[in-house]
Amino acid sequence: FLGFLTLLPAMFLLMTSFTRILIVLHFLRSALGTQTTPPQQLLVAVAVLLTGVIMNPVLQDVNKTAVQPYLAGQITQGQAYSVGVKPFRAFMLRNTRDIDLALFTDLAHARESASVDQIPTLAVVSAFVTSELRTSFQMGFVIFLPFVVVDLIVASVLMSLGMFMLPPVMISLPFKLLLFVLADGWTLVVQNLVNSFR
């Protein structure tokens, strides 16, 4: 049990939606140009809450099929692990690109696996994390685009007015915040983050 607790943070980072959410929220903060707002602790807290929402069906399934039978003494610890990891594997496989899964299956020398169920869990986790990084960077790119356009427009206007000494960031920041608020940015980001998971 204590060994499982030491692995819990790594499992939370590598086997859930937390990584994608946190990276996208960091991209959003960078795109807005606000270095410390919202603070790091708040972004992590939001990422944890959204992870709880997304992973709730998986956790309910694990609790029903593995944790409760183990606590009731109906199955052994090894059986509880085998049954409990299946919902996590299903979630990870749904959100993993085939090319990443093939790569890590190859690297784990498990290419001869007849089915997806026979792929080692370590290979599935590695492929899932790689896919999550790629997806989060794609989402970050899409988030950055409108704010880059605002920066370019403000910089062009300032240059045409001859205001070379005035930093464009000072002028563009209020416009970016206004754009984000008028577009109901937080709701859009959260909604698309949750919907991006299958």
Side-chain angles (χ1 to χ4, degrees):
F1 179 73
L2 289 175
F4 173 75
L5 285 181
T6 58
L7 291 174
L8 201 56
M11 289 172 60
F12 185 71
L13 278 172
L14 302 176
M15 296 174 67
T16 67
S17 56
F18 180 77
T19 302
R20 182 190 302 185
I21 296 168
L22 189 61
I23 291 173
V24 169
L25 291 177
H26 275 285
F27 272 124
L28 174 61
R29 185 170 72 177
S30 298
L32 283 170
T34 56
Q35 276 73 27
T36 56
T37 306
Q40 172 74 16
Q41 294 89 340
L42 182 59
L43 290 181
V44 172
V46 170
V48 169
L49 287 174
L50 289 177
T51 301
V53 170
I54 293 165
M55 298 302 295
N56 187 48
V58 176
L59 295 174
Q60 294 289 344
D61 196 7
V62 170
N63 184 49
K64 180 182 171 185
T65 59
V67 176
Q68 292 306 321
Y70 173 67
L71 293 176
Q74 297 169 355
I75 57 175
T76 64
Q77 188 175 0
Q79 290 171 325
Y81 168 77
S82 300
V83 174
V85 81
K86 285 180 182 176
F88 280 101
R89 282 177 59 97
F91 171 79
M92 289 187 289
L93 287 168
R94 278 196 310 271
N95 293 285
T96 302
R97 295 185 317 146
D98 291 337
I99 191 168
D100 292 326
L101 190 60
L103 169 68
F104 283 98
T105 303
D106 235 5
L107 293 174
H109 304 294
R111 201 68 180 135
E112 63 278 357
S113 298
S115 69
V116 175
D117 294 333
Q118 294 177 336
I119 298 173
T121 301
L122 192 59
V124 174
V125 173
S126 303
F128 172 70
V129 171
T130 305
S131 291
E132 287 293 281
L133 289 172
R134 184 179 190 273
T135 305
S136 59
F137 273 68
Q138 285 176 330
M139 293 179 78
F141 172 75
V142 172
I143 286 172
F144 253 97
L145 281 179
F147 299 114
V148 169
V149 170
V150 171
D151 281 333
L152 287 173
I153 292 170
V154 168
S156 299
V157 169
L158 288 177
M159 285 182 66
S160 64
L161 293 173
M163 298 180 175
F164 298 106
M165 301 301 290
L166 188 64
V169 178
M170 273 185 62
I171 307 298
S172 66
L173 181 58
F175 286 109
K176 288 195 282 189
L177 292 175
L178 181 65
L179 172 69
F180 190 67
V181 170
L182 289 177
D184 198 10
W186 286 112
T187 303
L188 286 173
V189 169
V190 167
Q191 183 180 5
N192 285 307
L193 271 170
V194 173
N195 290 339
S196 70
F197 289 94
R198 291 169 278 181

